[in-house]
Amino acid sequence: NRDALLRLGALSSLEIISGRLNSEGGAVRSNAQFDLKIIFGDAADKTTEAPKLRKEIERLAKDIASKRARLADDSFRAKAPAEIVRAMEATLGEREIEHGKILERLKQLE
């Protein structure tokens, strides 16, 4: 699907690596499964990237707190089907990984 990604993303190149990404020279976005680095060349602006990361950190922190509170509620656990509880636990784990990655990116940027 490399050619389709290049064409649809209007990308000049695409590199897939298994190592860690640093934030130098581009914007990095992360989720629990992968990191994506977009290199803008000379157009990259660290002053606009940091506020975006802070906003995403805040959004994830609220989501994590909400899920933790819900899972800590014995009434919810008693009434909710087991698959719902497991799915929420899995989502919480993914959000925590994502939150950690974005915090690390912000530290690298600053």
Side-chain angles (χ1 to χ4, degrees):
N1 296 328
R2 184 182 201 87
D3 290 336
L5 285 171
L6 287 166
R7 188 178 70 254
L8 292 172
L11 305 174
S12 58
S13 66
L14 174 66
E15 183 179 346
I16 300 171
I17 61 170
S18 60
R20 294 182 56 102
L21 298 175
N22 65 33
S23 62
E24 291 182 24
V28 177
R29 295 290 182 255
S30 300
N31 68 25
Q33 290 81 32
F34 64 89
D35 300 326
L36 172 70
K37 181 176 181 178
I38 302 171
I39 300 173
F40 298 111
D42 295 333
D45 186 4
K46 290 184 180 182
T47 59
T48 59
E49 185 66 15
K52 288 179 188 177
L53 291 176
R54 284 188 196 96
K55 185 175 180 178
E56 184 66 9
I57 288 167
E58 184 179 320
R59 183 190 70 77
L60 285 169
K62 287 179 184 177
D63 189 36
I64 289 168
S66 171
K67 286 183 178 22
R68 283 183 181 164
R70 189 80 170 176
L71 289 169
D73 182 0
D74 291 334
S75 175
F76 168 74
R77 285 186 172 270
K79 295 177 183 176
E83 62 270 6
I84 298 295
V85 173
R86 280 193 302 273
M88 186 173 286
E89 290 170 337
T91 301
L92 173 61
E94 289 175 1
R95 296 298 184 271
E96 289 172 334
I97 291 169
E98 197 173 340
H99 186 260
K101 286 182 175 184
I102 295 172
L103 280 172
E104 187 177 319
R105 299 289 179 232
L106 183 59
K107 287 178 187 175
Q108 290 174 354
L109 194 61
E110 296 175 330

